[in-house]
Amino acid sequence: MSFARSLLRVKPAEQLSSEGSHSELNRTLGLVPLVALSVGATLGTGIFVVLAEAAPAAGPAVVVSFVLAGLAALCSALSYAELAGSVPVSGSAYSYTYATLGEIVAWICGWCLLLEYGVSVAAVAVGWGGYLNEFLQGTIGVTIPDALAAPPGEGGVINVPAAIVVLLATAVLLRGVRESAWATTITTVLKIAVLVFFVAVALTAFNSGNLTPFAPAGIAGISVGASAVFFSFIGFDAASTAGEEARNPKRDLPRAIILSLIIVTAIYVLVAFAAVGAVGAGTLGESDASLATALRMVTGQGWPAVVLALGAVIAIASVVLTVLYGQTRILVSMSRDGLVPPMLSKVNHRAVPARNTLLVGVLVALLAAVVPLNQLAEATSIGTLVAFGLVNIGVVVLRRTRPELPRSFRTPLMPFVPLLGLALCAYLITGLDAVTWLTFAIWTLLGLAVYFGYGRRASRLHDAAE
């Protein structure tokens, strides 16, 4: 096999599905836990943390930014749903790309997913300290000093709470997928209830004057806001990483992906609208715990902010848990294919990839402790957008090359929906700054060095070809 052909070798969908069906992971998840997994991985990030970053750039039109990002995510979600029903394995976009676009593209996609999942966990964890301090101040009257609880660059030296929440999530994951799913479902219900409480209170102080000027920076501001908040939609694909732990993956994975995205987008838009209407976009950018601050301003009392802060502490912790889960399962698939060391796919007596989970947990905890939030959020966005773009291409390719492949869900208006998703991803990428592009370029070059130095020769497909 020539060098060029070896880079584009495709792993057949049937082979991926066969390996997934014989996985050592336990099939324990039904539709409700899968929806909770997706919602749990998504809901909380954009509203509790990134809203404060995006609102000053977009103004009141940050609501439109969420709609635009949600539309881009929906097109990609439909592509994910078809591929999840066709190739129900734990590798998510990485495995789908391997089945359609070839090994080198799959590696780049998987490498982007490692950036997307790992850095998003760190980004969410960074915002946890602000709400934890809000809760501690409102209950016992003390806070953790900024040097130990704020992001570096914003008054902090090392973010201890961020590291702690990642390590706690790692400990829960080591208990097993059933226990993790139970914890995710409970925390997801709690944070939805808290956000409904926020909307009910915030709307009592709604002031239409806070919506003008609606888009002070015009389309450019909306685009920047959409690019910033897009990473808060990545959780819907978390269900696809559970392809080997779902009881009926061909039926339930597509449903979980679509349902979770609809639920999350509706809540994001409603909460953003209520928050901006109550206190204005500028005020939201003045605090890491923006929603709790908004409630205090609206009510003039401390207890609503305490309730909101508690909800945020729970919400952000559950996002950390579910996204960390997704990253470990993607590494399982990459390891099983030989592209990363085999130890990362070994499971223990609880059917948990323990070494993989510990390694990821420790590395992400260190990242969360020392890297500023805004840099983490944008680095996550570009990794997400690249992975989603590849999935949109992959679903078109697989429909053309394997029309006979059984599909439990079919993306409507093929190929227009995937192509629209690809175009929206490309558009949102243009809203990211030069530093983010540089970071991504360095990350990609590092990934290619790892692939050519290890993954290409260790690949199971490479062994089979010799």
Side-chain angles (χ1 to χ4, degrees):
M1 180 181 292
S2 69
F3 177 76
R5 289 184 61 190
S6 71
L7 298 180
L8 297 175
R9 53 197 172 202
V10 171
K11 191 170 188 178
E14 293 87 352
Q15 184 178 345
L16 284 164
S17 298
S18 176
E19 290 175 356
S21 66
H22 294 90
S23 170
E24 295 178 309
L25 300 172
N26 289 335
R27 293 193 178 277
T28 60
L29 304 180
L31 178 60
V32 172
L34 288 171
V35 172
L37 178 66
S38 279
V39 174
T42 313
L43 188 58
T45 312
I47 287 299
F48 287 110
V49 179
V50 180
L51 180 59
E53 301 283 331
V62 69
V63 176
V64 181
S65 296
F66 274 110
V67 173
L68 180 60
L71 179 61
L74 176 61
C75 293
S76 299
L78 294 171
S79 298
Y80 262 96
E82 176 167 328
L83 292 174
S86 306
V87 191
V89 293
S90 62
S92 185
Y94 156 76
S95 293
Y96 308 153
T97 308
Y98 212 163
T100 56
L101 301 176
E103 185 172 280
I104 184 65
V105 183
W107 170 264
I108 292 172
C109 184
W111 195 249
C112 286
L113 288 172
L114 296 184
L115 179 71
E116 169 193 334
Y117 278 78
V119 178
S120 69
V121 169
V124 176
V126 166
W128 195 66
Y131 279 102
L132 179 62
N133 264 345
E134 190 77 25
F135 176 71
L136 293 175
Q137 177 65 43
T139 52
I140 61 178
V142 299
T143 59
I144 303 170
D146 283 350
L148 299 178
E154 298 180 23
V157 177
I158 181 170
N159 196 322
V160 175
I164 289 175
V165 72
V166 173
L167 293 176
L168 287 174
T170 302
V172 173
L173 289 176
L174 289 172
R175 296 285 299 170
V177 67
R178 188 188 299 273
E179 291 78 3
S180 302
W182 179 85
T184 299
T185 302
I186 297 299
T187 54
T188 298
V189 171
L190 287 174
K191 64 184 172 184
I192 290 176
V194 168
L195 288 173
V196 170
F197 167 76
F198 171 83
V199 171
V201 175
L203 288 178
T204 64
F206 186 84
N207 179 359
S208 59
N210 286 328
L211 300 181
T212 56
F214 185 68
I219 296 297
I222 293 173
S223 298
V224 170
S227 297
V229 304
F230 186 80
F231 101 106
S232 62
F233 285 88
I234 69 167
F236 77 79
D237 63 346
S240 66
T241 66
E244 294 170 26
E245 289 161 290
R247 287 199 295 266
N248 191 341
K250 287 184 174 292
R251 183 194 68 186
D252 290 342
L253 290 182
R255 293 180 181 182
I257 289 169
I258 302 300
L259 281 173
S260 62
L261 184 61
I262 292 172
I263 292 168
V264 166
T265 302
I267 293 176
Y268 276 172
V269 171
L270 186 58
V271 172
F273 177 75
V276 172
V279 300
T283 301
L284 292 174
E286 296 174 359
S287 169
D288 289 335
S290 55
L291 297 189
T293 301
L295 278 188
R296 184 179 293 107
M297 293 175 63
V298 166
T299 64
Q301 301 180 48
W303 70 266
V306 172
V307 172
L308 195 284
L310 176 60
V313 168
I314 295 171
I316 294 172
S318 72
V319 173
V320 170
L321 173 66
T322 50
V323 178
L324 200 65
Y325 164 86
Q327 185 179 39
T328 62
R329 271 44 183 184
I330 290 168
L331 276 173
V332 166
S333 288
M334 296 178 74
S335 173
R336 192 166 55 207
D337 292 334
L339 299 184
V340 295
M343 62 168 281
L344 297 178
S345 58
K346 301 297 184 183
V347 301
N348 63 12
H349 65 286
R350 294 178 179 271
V352 172
R355 293 177 182 176
N356 170 342
T357 302
L358 280 172
L359 177 65
V360 169
V362 171
L363 290 178
V364 172
L366 291 172
L367 190 66
V370 300
V371 180
L373 171 61
N374 60 339
Q375 294 179 16
L376 288 171
E378 291 216 348
T380 303
S381 289
I382 195 167
T384 304
L385 289 164
V386 170
F388 283 8
L390 292 174
V391 168
N392 283 308
I393 296 171
V395 74
V396 175
V397 170
L398 194 63
R399 187 75 74 91
R400 294 293 180 88
T401 58
R402 299 294 308 279
E404 82 289 353
L405 191 69
R407 292 169 170 84
S408 58
F409 176 87
R410 300 178 75 87
T411 303
L413 301 176
M414 180 69 78
F416 301 106
V417 168
L419 292 178
L420 176 59
L422 177 63
L424 287 170
C425 287
Y427 173 69
L428 291 176
I429 283 179
T430 63
L432 300 173
D433 62 29
V435 174
T436 303
W437 277 99
L438 178 60
T439 302
F440 180 71
I442 294 171
W443 177 256
T444 302
L445 290 174
L446 177 61
L448 290 174
V450 173
Y451 174 73
F452 286 108
Y454 175 85
R456 179 177 173 272
R457 290 192 301 273
S459 167
R460 297 288 176 83
L461 288 187
H462 179 76
D463 292 342
E466 291 188 338

